[in-house]
Amino acid sequence: MGQAKQRGTKEQRVAQAQAKVDALRPEKLTCGSCKTGFTDFQSLDTRKMSGIHAAFGGICPSCGETVLAFSGEQEAVANAMIAWQDAMESEGKLGKQSRDGEHVSFDE
Ligand SMILES: [Zn+2]
């Protein structure tokens, strides 16, 4: 090694981060309620979630359930799921997606 300190440009780092997320992206999400598999989902911002490498979320086309998938350290994933469920219950607006296909961001 010896070149560990060497860093690429901002663009390269962004591309690398994106490639990492793409590599972790599952082919499809499976709804926990009705077991429908679907491919129309988006990656979520995980920068504030320590231990989480990537997260994906979408709306089940069959029953409308919000389906989430986290990738990362086991404990961090468990905590993220709990935190997300709490947020869903208290706000109920996270991850909402309108029927005409317009995506609403998962921002706080
Ligand atoms: Zn479903």
Side-chain angles (χ1 to χ4, degrees):
M1 303 295 267
Q3 298 283 322
K5 288 235 166 81
Q6 191 175 35
R7 293 194 175 172
T9 64
K10 184 168 182 250
E11 286 74 21
Q12 282 171 329
R13 291 204 302 275
V14 169
Q16 276 173 4
Q18 188 59 49
K20 210 170 108 187
V21 170
D22 285 346
L24 290 167
R25 184 183 174 98
E27 266 183 51
K28 62 178 183 177
L29 292 186
T30 302
C31 176
S33 295
C34 68
K35 310 297 178 198
T36 297
F38 60 100
T39 56
D40 181 21
F41 57 88
Q42 51 193 291
S43 57
L44 310 179
D45 186 355
T46 58
R47 280 174 296 184
K48 287 181 211 153
M49 303 161 74
S50 64
I52 300 293
H53 302 147
F56 306 93
I59 307 296
C60 174
S62 180
C63 72
E65 190 83 9
T66 299
V67 183
L68 297 168
F70 292 98
S71 176
E73 293 158 25
Q74 197 171 18
E75 197 179 327
V77 169
N79 288 337
M81 289 302 287
I82 291 166
W84 200 281
Q85 279 163 7
D86 286 350
M88 291 290 292
E89 277 175 26
S90 60
E91 301 202 19
K93 64 183 173 64
L94 286 170
K96 207 178 266 182
Q97 187 179 21
S98 62
R99 284 290 161 199
D100 61 3
E102 181 193 343
H103 289 275
V104 179
S105 82
F106 286 83
D107 291 344
E108 302 168 4

mmCIF file of all heavy atoms in Angstrom, residues 28-80:
data_model
loop_
_atom_site.group_PDB
_atom_site.id
_atom_site.type_symbol
_atom_site.label_atom_id
_atom_site.label_comp_id
_atom_site.label_asym_id
_atom_site.label_seq_id
_atom_site.Cartn_x
_atom_site.Cartn_y
_atom_site.Cartn_z
ATOM 1 N N LYS A 28 -34.117 -6.352 -6.241
ATOM 2 C CA LYS A 28 -35.491 -5.947 -5.949
ATOM 3 C C LYS A 28 -35.719 -5.950 -4.449
ATOM 4 O O LYS A 28 -34.980 -6.591 -3.705
ATOM 5 C CB LYS A 28 -36.486 -6.882 -6.642
ATOM 6 C CG LYS A 28 -36.379 -8.323 -6.182
ATOM 7 C CD LYS A 28 -37.418 -9.195 -6.862
ATOM 8 C CE LYS A 28 -37.343 -10.623 -6.329
ATOM 9 N NZ LYS A 28 -38.357 -11.486 -6.906
ATOM 10 N N LEU A 29 -36.727 -5.222 -4.037
ATOM 11 C CA LEU A 29 -37.166 -5.265 -2.648
ATOM 12 C C LEU A 29 -38.378 -6.178 -2.579
ATOM 13 O O LEU A 29 -39.134 -6.285 -3.539
ATOM 14 C CB LEU A 29 -37.555 -3.867 -2.170
ATOM 15 C CG LEU A 29 -36.441 -2.828 -2.013
ATOM 16 C CD1 LEU A 29 -36.995 -1.560 -1.399
ATOM 17 C CD2 LEU A 29 -35.291 -3.351 -1.186
ATOM 18 N N THR A 30 -38.536 -6.828 -1.453
ATOM 19 C CA THR A 30 -39.698 -7.688 -1.275
ATOM 20 C C THR A 30 -40.537 -7.147 -0.134
ATOM 21 O O THR A 30 -40.037 -6.909 0.960
ATOM 22 C CB THR A 30 -39.255 -9.134 -0.964
ATOM 23 O OG1 THR A 30 -38.428 -9.592 -2.024
ATOM 24 C CG2 THR A 30 -40.458 -10.041 -0.834
ATOM 25 N N CYS A 31 -41.802 -6.939 -0.421
ATOM 26 C CA CYS A 31 -42.727 -6.405 0.573
ATOM 27 C C CYS A 31 -42.881 -7.369 1.738
ATOM 28 O O CYS A 31 -43.080 -8.565 1.533
ATOM 29 C CB CYS A 31 -44.086 -6.161 -0.089
ATOM 30 S SG CYS A 31 -45.346 -5.616 1.081
ATOM 31 N N GLY A 32 -42.772 -6.833 2.957
ATOM 32 C CA GLY A 32 -42.903 -7.672 4.138
ATOM 33 C C GLY A 32 -44.332 -8.104 4.403
ATOM 34 O O GLY A 32 -44.581 -9.070 5.117
ATOM 35 N N SER A 33 -45.283 -7.388 3.811
ATOM 36 C CA SER A 33 -46.687 -7.700 4.071
ATOM 37 C C SER A 33 -47.261 -8.710 3.089
ATOM 38 O O SER A 33 -47.897 -9.675 3.483
ATOM 39 C CB SER A 33 -47.523 -6.419 4.004
ATOM 40 O OG SER A 33 -47.147 -5.540 5.038
ATOM 41 N N CYS A 34 -47.020 -8.468 1.802
ATOM 42 C CA CYS A 34 -47.675 -9.333 0.815
ATOM 43 C C CYS A 34 -46.680 -10.091 -0.063
ATOM 44 O O CYS A 34 -47.072 -10.774 -0.989
ATOM 45 C CB CYS A 34 -48.621 -8.498 -0.057
ATOM 46 S SG CYS A 34 -47.761 -7.343 -1.148
ATOM 47 N N LYS A 35 -45.383 -9.918 0.235
ATOM 48 C CA LYS A 35 -44.315 -10.659 -0.461
ATOM 49 C C LYS A 35 -44.165 -10.313 -1.940
ATOM 50 O O LYS A 35 -43.573 -11.070 -2.703
ATOM 51 C CB LYS A 35 -44.518 -12.183 -0.331
ATOM 52 C CG LYS A 35 -44.753 -12.656 1.087
ATOM 53 C CD LYS A 35 -43.560 -12.377 1.978
ATOM 54 C CE LYS A 35 -43.849 -12.816 3.410
ATOM 55 N NZ LYS A 35 -42.941 -12.210 4.378
ATOM 56 N N THR A 36 -44.708 -9.190 -2.340
ATOM 57 C CA THR A 36 -44.529 -8.765 -3.722
ATOM 58 C C THR A 36 -43.104 -8.222 -3.896
ATOM 59 O O THR A 36 -42.641 -7.445 -3.076
ATOM 60 C CB THR A 36 -45.535 -7.645 -4.067
ATOM 61 O OG1 THR A 36 -46.859 -8.161 -3.965
ATOM 62 C CG2 THR A 36 -45.295 -7.112 -5.489
ATOM 63 N N GLY A 37 -42.446 -8.650 -4.948
ATOM 64 C CA GLY A 37 -41.129 -8.134 -5.251
ATOM 65 C C GLY A 37 -41.258 -7.010 -6.258
ATOM 66 O O GLY A 37 -42.064 -7.096 -7.177
ATOM 67 N N PHE A 38 -40.494 -5.924 -6.079
ATOM 68 C CA PHE A 38 -40.565 -4.827 -7.041
ATOM 69 C C PHE A 38 -39.209 -4.156 -7.161
ATOM 70 O O PHE A 38 -38.372 -4.227 -6.269
ATOM 71 C CB PHE A 38 -41.660 -3.822 -6.647
ATOM 72 C CG PHE A 38 -41.445 -3.186 -5.290
ATOM 73 C CD1 PHE A 38 -40.904 -1.910 -5.205
ATOM 74 C CD2 PHE A 38 -41.769 -3.855 -4.134
ATOM 75 C CE1 PHE A 38 -40.705 -1.321 -3.957
ATOM 76 C CE2 PHE A 38 -41.576 -3.277 -2.886
ATOM 77 C CZ PHE A 38 -41.043 -2.004 -2.793
ATOM 78 N N THR A 39 -39.004 -3.538 -8.300
ATOM 79 C CA THR A 39 -37.686 -2.966 -8.596
ATOM 80 C C THR A 39 -37.700 -1.441 -8.616
ATOM 81 O O THR A 39 -36.659 -0.824 -8.811
ATOM 82 C CB THR A 39 -37.193 -3.463 -9.970
ATOM 83 O OG1 THR A 39 -38.169 -3.125 -10.954
ATOM 84 C CG2 THR A 39 -36.978 -4.971 -9.965
ATOM 85 N N ASP A 40 -38.859 -0.842 -8.440
ATOM 86 C CA ASP A 40 -38.940 0.621 -8.473
ATOM 87 C C ASP A 40 -38.740 1.184 -7.070
ATOM 88 O O ASP A 40 -39.694 1.423 -6.345
ATOM 89 C CB ASP A 40 -40.295 1.050 -9.040
ATOM 90 C CG ASP A 40 -40.409 2.572 -9.100
ATOM 91 O OD1 ASP A 40 -39.352 3.242 -9.095
ATOM 92 O OD2 ASP A 40 -41.535 3.078 -9.139
ATOM 93 N N PHE A 41 -37.482 1.343 -6.681
ATOM 94 C CA PHE A 41 -37.195 1.905 -5.369
ATOM 95 C C PHE A 41 -35.952 2.768 -5.489
ATOM 96 O O PHE A 41 -35.249 2.732 -6.490
ATOM 97 C CB PHE A 41 -37.004 0.797 -4.335
ATOM 98 C CG PHE A 41 -35.924 -0.186 -4.669
ATOM 99 C CD1 PHE A 41 -34.614 0.043 -4.289
ATOM 100 C CD2 PHE A 41 -36.227 -1.336 -5.381
ATOM 101 C CE1 PHE A 41 -33.615 -0.871 -4.597
ATOM 102 C CE2 PHE A 41 -35.239 -2.253 -5.705
ATOM 103 C CZ PHE A 41 -33.928 -2.013 -5.308
ATOM 104 N N GLN A 42 -35.700 3.566 -4.466
ATOM 105 C CA GLN A 42 -34.577 4.483 -4.548
ATOM 106 C C GLN A 42 -33.624 4.306 -3.380
ATOM 107 O O GLN A 42 -33.994 3.778 -2.336
ATOM 108 C CB GLN A 42 -35.094 5.911 -4.595
ATOM 109 C CG GLN A 42 -36.093 6.246 -3.497
ATOM 110 C CD GLN A 42 -36.805 7.552 -3.788
ATOM 111 O OE1 GLN A 42 -36.212 8.615 -3.745
ATOM 112 N NE2 GLN A 42 -38.084 7.478 -4.100
ATOM 113 N N SER A 43 -32.391 4.742 -3.572
ATOM 114 C CA SER A 43 -31.427 4.682 -2.481
ATOM 115 C C SER A 43 -31.671 5.865 -1.556
ATOM 116 O O SER A 43 -32.088 6.938 -1.989
ATOM 117 C CB SER A 43 -29.998 4.696 -3.023
ATOM 118 O OG SER A 43 -29.786 5.831 -3.812
ATOM 119 N N LEU A 44 -31.427 5.659 -0.284
ATOM 120 C CA LEU A 44 -31.678 6.679 0.720
ATOM 121 C C LEU A 44 -30.362 7.254 1.223
ATOM 122 O O LEU A 44 -29.326 6.599 1.169
ATOM 123 C CB LEU A 44 -32.453 6.077 1.894
ATOM 124 C CG LEU A 44 -33.700 5.267 1.542
ATOM 125 C CD1 LEU A 44 -34.336 4.726 2.808
ATOM 126 C CD2 LEU A 44 -34.687 6.110 0.764
ATOM 127 N N ASP A 45 -30.441 8.466 1.727
ATOM 128 C CA ASP A 45 -29.264 9.131 2.269
ATOM 129 C C ASP A 45 -28.904 8.508 3.617
ATOM 130 O O ASP A 45 -29.695 8.552 4.546
ATOM 131 C CB ASP A 45 -29.582 10.615 2.429
ATOM 132 C CG ASP A 45 -28.357 11.396 2.855
ATOM 133 O OD1 ASP A 45 -27.305 10.778 3.111
ATOM 134 O OD2 ASP A 45 -28.451 12.626 2.906
ATOM 135 N N THR A 46 -27.724 7.924 3.696
ATOM 136 C CA THR A 46 -27.324 7.254 4.939
ATOM 137 C C THR A 46 -26.166 7.968 5.626
ATOM 138 O O THR A 46 -25.551 7.428 6.531
ATOM 139 C CB THR A 46 -26.902 5.795 4.664
ATOM 140 O OG1 THR A 46 -25.826 5.796 3.720
ATOM 141 C CG2 THR A 46 -28.052 4.992 4.100
ATOM 142 N N ARG A 47 -25.861 9.189 5.188
ATOM 143 C CA ARG A 47 -24.680 9.861 5.730
ATOM 144 C C ARG A 47 -24.754 10.112 7.229
ATOM 145 O O ARG A 47 -23.737 10.166 7.894
ATOM 146 C CB ARG A 47 -24.450 11.188 4.993
ATOM 147 C CG ARG A 47 -23.759 10.974 3.641
ATOM 148 C CD ARG A 47 -23.676 12.256 2.871
ATOM 149 N NE ARG A 47 -25.018 12.733 2.537
ATOM 150 C CZ ARG A 47 -25.245 13.813 1.799
ATOM 151 N NH1 ARG A 47 -24.241 14.524 1.334
ATOM 152 N NH2 ARG A 47 -26.471 14.194 1.525
ATOM 153 N N LYS A 48 -25.968 10.253 7.747
ATOM 154 C CA LYS A 48 -26.093 10.520 9.186
ATOM 155 C C LYS A 48 -26.257 9.233 9.974
ATOM 156 O O LYS A 48 -26.395 9.255 11.185
ATOM 157 C CB LYS A 48 -27.311 11.417 9.443
ATOM 158 C CG LYS A 48 -27.098 12.848 9.014
ATOM 159 C CD LYS A 48 -28.350 13.671 9.341
ATOM 160 C CE LYS A 48 -28.526 14.788 8.359
ATOM 161 N NZ LYS A 48 -29.940 15.159 8.229
ATOM 162 N N MET A 49 -26.281 8.104 9.285
ATOM 163 C CA MET A 49 -26.530 6.834 9.950
ATOM 164 C C MET A 49 -25.241 6.040 10.047
ATOM 165 O O MET A 49 -24.828 5.382 9.104
ATOM 166 C CB MET A 49 -27.584 6.057 9.148
ATOM 167 C CG MET A 49 -28.878 6.866 8.988
ATOM 168 S SD MET A 49 -29.910 6.270 7.639
ATOM 169 C CE MET A 49 -30.558 4.774 8.341
ATOM 170 N N SER A 50 -24.595 6.106 11.210
ATOM 171 C CA SER A 50 -23.312 5.428 11.356
ATOM 172 C C SER A 50 -23.502 3.919 11.309
ATOM 173 O O SER A 50 -24.447 3.385 11.884
ATOM 174 C CB SER A 50 -22.645 5.837 12.668
ATOM 175 O OG SER A 50 -23.421 5.420 13.751
ATOM 176 N N GLY A 51 -22.601 3.249 10.611
ATOM 177 C CA GLY A 51 -22.665 1.788 10.507
ATOM 178 C C GLY A 51 -23.532 1.301 9.368
ATOM 179 O O GLY A 51 -23.544 0.119 9.056
ATOM 180 N N ILE A 52 -24.265 2.233 8.753
ATOM 181 C CA ILE A 52 -25.109 1.855 7.616
ATOM 182 C C ILE A 52 -24.362 2.201 6.327
ATOM 183 O O ILE A 52 -23.940 3.329 6.130
ATOM 184 C CB ILE A 52 -26.449 2.617 7.644
ATOM 185 C CG1 ILE A 52 -27.221 2.305 8.927
ATOM 186 C CG2 ILE A 52 -27.285 2.271 6.413
ATOM 187 C CD1 ILE A 52 -27.710 0.888 9.030
ATOM 188 N N HIS A 53 -24.205 1.231 5.467
ATOM 189 C CA HIS A 53 -23.469 1.454 4.224
ATOM 190 C C HIS A 53 -24.391 1.918 3.103
ATOM 191 O O HIS A 53 -24.001 2.695 2.250
ATOM 192 C CB HIS A 53 -22.747 0.172 3.805
ATOM 193 C CG HIS A 53 -21.802 -0.328 4.863
ATOM 194 N ND1 HIS A 53 -21.548 -1.661 5.072
ATOM 195 C CD2 HIS A 53 -21.077 0.341 5.782
ATOM 196 C CE1 HIS A 53 -20.700 -1.784 6.077
ATOM 197 N NE2 HIS A 53 -20.406 -0.598 6.522
ATOM 198 N N ALA A 54 -25.574 1.419 3.117
ATOM 199 C CA ALA A 54 -26.536 1.812 2.086
ATOM 200 C C ALA A 54 -27.939 1.488 2.574
ATOM 201 O O ALA A 54 -28.131 0.600 3.403
ATOM 202 C CB ALA A 54 -26.255 1.072 0.777
ATOM 203 N N ALA A 55 -28.893 2.240 2.080
ATOM 204 C CA ALA A 55 -30.279 1.968 2.440
ATOM 205 C C ALA A 55 -31.144 2.219 1.217
ATOM 206 O O ALA A 55 -30.864 3.097 0.406
ATOM 207 C CB ALA A 55 -30.715 2.872 3.592
ATOM 208 N N PHE A 56 -32.183 1.424 1.082
ATOM 209 C CA PHE A 56 -33.066 1.518 -0.072
ATOM 210 C C PHE A 56 -34.502 1.475 0.411
ATOM 211 O O PHE A 56 -34.819 0.787 1.377
ATOM 212 C CB PHE A 56 -32.799 0.371 -1.045
ATOM 213 C CG PHE A 56 -31.355 0.288 -1.458
ATOM 214 C CD1 PHE A 56 -30.464 -0.519 -0.765
ATOM 215 C CD2 PHE A 56 -30.870 1.067 -2.507
ATOM 216 C CE1 PHE A 56 -29.123 -0.567 -1.120
ATOM 217 C CE2 PHE A 56 -29.537 1.020 -2.853
ATOM 218 C CZ PHE A 56 -28.664 0.205 -2.169
ATOM 219 N N GLY A 57 -35.329 2.217 -0.273
ATOM 220 C CA GLY A 57 -36.719 2.233 0.135
ATOM 221 C C GLY A 57 -37.641 2.445 -1.048
ATOM 222 O O GLY A 57 -37.273 3.077 -2.037
ATOM 223 N N GLY A 58 -38.829 1.902 -0.928
ATOM 224 C CA GLY A 58 -39.818 2.077 -1.983
ATOM 225 C C GLY A 58 -41.190 1.727 -1.448
ATOM 226 O O GLY A 58 -41.338 1.318 -0.307
ATOM 227 N N ILE A 59 -42.164 1.932 -2.298
ATOM 228 C CA ILE A 59 -43.543 1.637 -1.921
ATOM 229 C C ILE A 59 -44.003 0.386 -2.651
ATOM 230 O O ILE A 59 -43.878 0.299 -3.875
ATOM 231 C CB ILE A 59 -44.472 2.817 -2.303
ATOM 232 C CG1 ILE A 59 -43.945 4.134 -1.736
ATOM 233 C CG2 ILE A 59 -45.896 2.536 -1.829
ATOM 234 C CD1 ILE A 59 -43.927 4.207 -0.235
ATOM 235 N N CYS A 60 -44.532 -0.547 -1.926
ATOM 236 C CA CYS A 60 -45.034 -1.775 -2.545
ATOM 237 C C CYS A 60 -46.144 -1.426 -3.533
ATOM 238 O O CYS A 60 -47.122 -0.771 -3.165
ATOM 239 C CB CYS A 60 -45.566 -2.726 -1.470
ATOM 240 S SG CYS A 60 -46.367 -4.179 -2.160
ATOM 241 N N PRO A 61 -46.003 -1.846 -4.791
ATOM 242 C CA PRO A 61 -47.015 -1.522 -5.807
ATOM 243 C C PRO A 61 -48.308 -2.295 -5.591
ATOM 244 O O PRO A 61 -49.340 -1.978 -6.178
ATOM 245 C CB PRO A 61 -46.332 -1.923 -7.122
ATOM 246 C CG PRO A 61 -45.353 -2.979 -6.731
ATOM 247 C CD PRO A 61 -44.889 -2.634 -5.333
ATOM 248 N N SER A 62 -48.246 -3.299 -4.766
ATOM 249 C CA SER A 62 -49.411 -4.145 -4.562
ATOM 250 C C SER A 62 -50.278 -3.677 -3.392
ATOM 251 O O SER A 62 -51.493 -3.547 -3.513
ATOM 252 C CB SER A 62 -48.943 -5.582 -4.341
ATOM 253 O OG SER A 62 -50.041 -6.418 -4.138
ATOM 254 N N CYS A 63 -49.637 -3.386 -2.239
ATOM 255 C CA CYS A 63 -50.428 -3.035 -1.058
ATOM 256 C C CYS A 63 -50.105 -1.658 -0.501
ATOM 257 O O CYS A 63 -50.750 -1.201 0.427
ATOM 258 C CB CYS A 63 -50.266 -4.097 0.022
ATOM 259 S SG CYS A 63 -48.654 -4.091 0.825
ATOM 260 N N GLY A 64 -49.090 -0.977 -1.062
ATOM 261 C CA GLY A 64 -48.791 0.382 -0.621
ATOM 262 C C GLY A 64 -47.935 0.475 0.619
ATOM 263 O O GLY A 64 -47.664 1.568 1.121
ATOM 264 N N GLU A 65 -47.467 -0.642 1.096
ATOM 265 C CA GLU A 65 -46.601 -0.671 2.271
ATOM 266 C C GLU A 65 -45.241 -0.060 1.932
ATOM 267 O O GLU A 65 -44.736 -0.225 0.831
ATOM 268 C CB GLU A 65 -46.408 -2.128 2.708
ATOM 269 C CG GLU A 65 -45.744 -2.290 4.037
ATOM 270 C CD GLU A 65 -46.716 -2.160 5.213
ATOM 271 O OE1 GLU A 65 -47.947 -2.102 4.987
ATOM 272 O OE2 GLU A 65 -46.235 -2.105 6.330
ATOM 273 N N THR A 66 -44.667 0.667 2.899
ATOM 274 C CA THR A 66 -43.310 1.163 2.705
ATOM 275 C C THR A 66 -42.331 0.038 2.997
ATOM 276 O O THR A 66 -42.400 -0.589 4.048
ATOM 277 C CB THR A 66 -43.018 2.345 3.645
ATOM 278 O OG1 THR A 66 -43.933 3.397 3.343
ATOM 279 C CG2 THR A 66 -41.598 2.846 3.445
ATOM 280 N N VAL A 67 -41.458 -0.225 2.042
ATOM 281 C CA VAL A 67 -40.502 -1.311 2.188
ATOM 282 C C VAL A 67 -39.103 -0.720 2.244
ATOM 283 O O VAL A 67 -38.713 0.082 1.403
ATOM 284 C CB VAL A 67 -40.595 -2.297 0.999
ATOM 285 C CG1 VAL A 67 -39.641 -3.467 1.202
ATOM 286 C CG2 VAL A 67 -42.028 -2.783 0.831
ATOM 287 N N LEU A 68 -38.346 -1.114 3.252
ATOM 288 C CA LEU A 68 -37.007 -0.584 3.433
ATOM 289 C C LEU A 68 -36.002 -1.711 3.518
ATOM 290 O O LEU A 68 -36.301 -2.793 4.006
ATOM 291 C CB LEU A 68 -36.936 0.226 4.731
ATOM 292 C CG LEU A 68 -37.820 1.466 4.793
ATOM 293 C CD1 LEU A 68 -37.863 1.982 6.212
ATOM 294 C CD2 LEU A 68 -37.298 2.529 3.855
ATOM 295 N N ALA A 69 -34.798 -1.433 3.030
ATOM 296 C CA ALA A 69 -33.712 -2.400 3.149
ATOM 297 C C ALA A 69 -32.459 -1.641 3.547
ATOM 298 O O ALA A 69 -32.081 -0.671 2.892
ATOM 299 C CB ALA A 69 -33.498 -3.128 1.827
ATOM 300 N N PHE A 70 -31.859 -2.058 4.629
ATOM 301 C CA PHE A 70 -30.621 -1.435 5.075
ATOM 302 C C PHE A 70 -29.476 -2.412 4.902
ATOM 303 O O PHE A 70 -29.625 -3.605 5.110
ATOM 304 C CB PHE A 70 -30.713 -1.044 6.554
ATOM 305 C CG PHE A 70 -31.692 0.069 6.820
ATOM 306 C CD1 PHE A 70 -32.968 -0.215 7.257
ATOM 307 C CD2 PHE A 70 -31.325 1.388 6.628
ATOM 308 C CE1 PHE A 70 -33.882 0.810 7.513
ATOM 309 C CE2 PHE A 70 -32.224 2.413 6.876
ATOM 310 C CZ PHE A 70 -33.504 2.125 7.319
ATOM 311 N N SER A 71 -28.321 -1.871 4.542
ATOM 312 C CA SER A 71 -27.131 -2.690 4.428
ATOM 313 C C SER A 71 -26.057 -2.082 5.309
ATOM 314 O O SER A 71 -25.800 -0.880 5.245
ATOM 315 C CB SER A 71 -26.661 -2.726 2.969
ATOM 316 O OG SER A 71 -25.451 -3.437 2.878
ATOM 317 N N GLY A 72 -25.442 -2.892 6.136
ATOM 318 C CA GLY A 72 -24.406 -2.370 7.017
ATOM 319 C C GLY A 72 -24.154 -3.310 8.176
ATOM 320 O O GLY A 72 -24.481 -4.495 8.098
ATOM 321 N N GLU A 73 -23.576 -2.768 9.241
ATOM 322 C CA GLU A 73 -23.298 -3.587 10.411
ATOM 323 C C GLU A 73 -24.626 -4.029 11.027
ATOM 324 O O GLU A 73 -25.574 -3.260 11.099
ATOM 325 C CB GLU A 73 -22.492 -2.777 11.421
ATOM 326 C CG GLU A 73 -21.101 -2.444 10.905
ATOM 327 C CD GLU A 73 -20.496 -1.242 11.622
ATOM 328 O OE1 GLU A 73 -20.909 -0.980 12.763
ATOM 329 O OE2 GLU A 73 -19.631 -0.588 11.030
ATOM 330 N N GLN A 74 -24.620 -5.264 11.491
ATOM 331 C CA GLN A 74 -25.867 -5.884 11.962
ATOM 332 C C GLN A 74 -26.586 -5.038 13.001
ATOM 333 O O GLN A 74 -27.791 -4.804 12.901
ATOM 334 C CB GLN A 74 -25.535 -7.258 12.545
ATOM 335 C CG GLN A 74 -26.758 -8.143 12.670
ATOM 336 C CD GLN A 74 -26.378 -9.572 13.041
ATOM 337 O OE1 GLN A 74 -25.284 -9.827 13.511
ATOM 338 N NE2 GLN A 74 -27.287 -10.496 12.822
ATOM 339 N N GLU A 75 -25.846 -4.557 13.985
ATOM 340 C CA GLU A 75 -26.475 -3.783 15.051
ATOM 341 C C GLU A 75 -26.984 -2.447 14.515
ATOM 342 O O GLU A 75 -28.057 -1.981 14.892
ATOM 343 C CB GLU A 75 -25.465 -3.575 16.178
ATOM 344 C CG GLU A 75 -26.122 -3.164 17.477
ATOM 345 C CD GLU A 75 -25.101 -2.981 18.591
ATOM 346 O OE1 GLU A 75 -24.088 -3.702 18.589
ATOM 347 O OE2 GLU A 75 -25.324 -2.105 19.438
ATOM 348 N N ALA A 76 -26.192 -1.855 13.650
ATOM 349 C CA ALA A 76 -26.589 -0.569 13.072
ATOM 350 C C ALA A 76 -27.860 -0.722 12.245
ATOM 351 O O ALA A 76 -28.741 0.137 12.264
ATOM 352 C CB ALA A 76 -25.451 -0.018 12.209
ATOM 353 N N VAL A 77 -27.959 -1.834 11.527
ATOM 354 C CA VAL A 77 -29.154 -2.090 10.719
ATOM 355 C C VAL A 77 -30.376 -2.231 11.618
ATOM 356 O O VAL A 77 -31.436 -1.649 11.357
ATOM 357 C CB VAL A 77 -28.965 -3.363 9.862
ATOM 358 C CG1 VAL A 77 -30.281 -3.782 9.225
ATOM 359 C CG2 VAL A 77 -27.908 -3.122 8.784
ATOM 360 N N ALA A 78 -30.211 -2.965 12.718
ATOM 361 C CA ALA A 78 -31.322 -3.163 13.646
ATOM 362 C C ALA A 78 -31.754 -1.822 14.233
ATOM 363 O O ALA A 78 -32.949 -1.520 14.313
ATOM 364 C CB ALA A 78 -30.909 -4.128 14.757
ATOM 365 N N ASN A 79 -30.778 -1.002 14.620
ATOM 366 C CA ASN A 79 -31.105 0.303 15.191
ATOM 367 C C ASN A 79 -31.784 1.199 14.157
ATOM 368 O O ASN A 79 -32.711 1.942 14.486
ATOM 369 C CB ASN A 79 -29.828 0.986 15.699
ATOM 370 C CG ASN A 79 -29.315 0.324 16.964
ATOM 371 O OD1 ASN A 79 -30.054 -0.317 17.682
ATOM 372 N ND2 ASN A 79 -28.028 0.481 17.215
ATOM 373 N N ALA A 80 -31.312 1.126 12.934
ATOM 374 C CA ALA A 80 -31.871 1.954 11.871
ATOM 375 C C ALA A 80 -33.329 1.594 11.615
ATOM 376 O O ALA A 80 -34.183 2.457 11.427
ATOM 377 C CB ALA A 80 -31.052 1.800 10.596
#
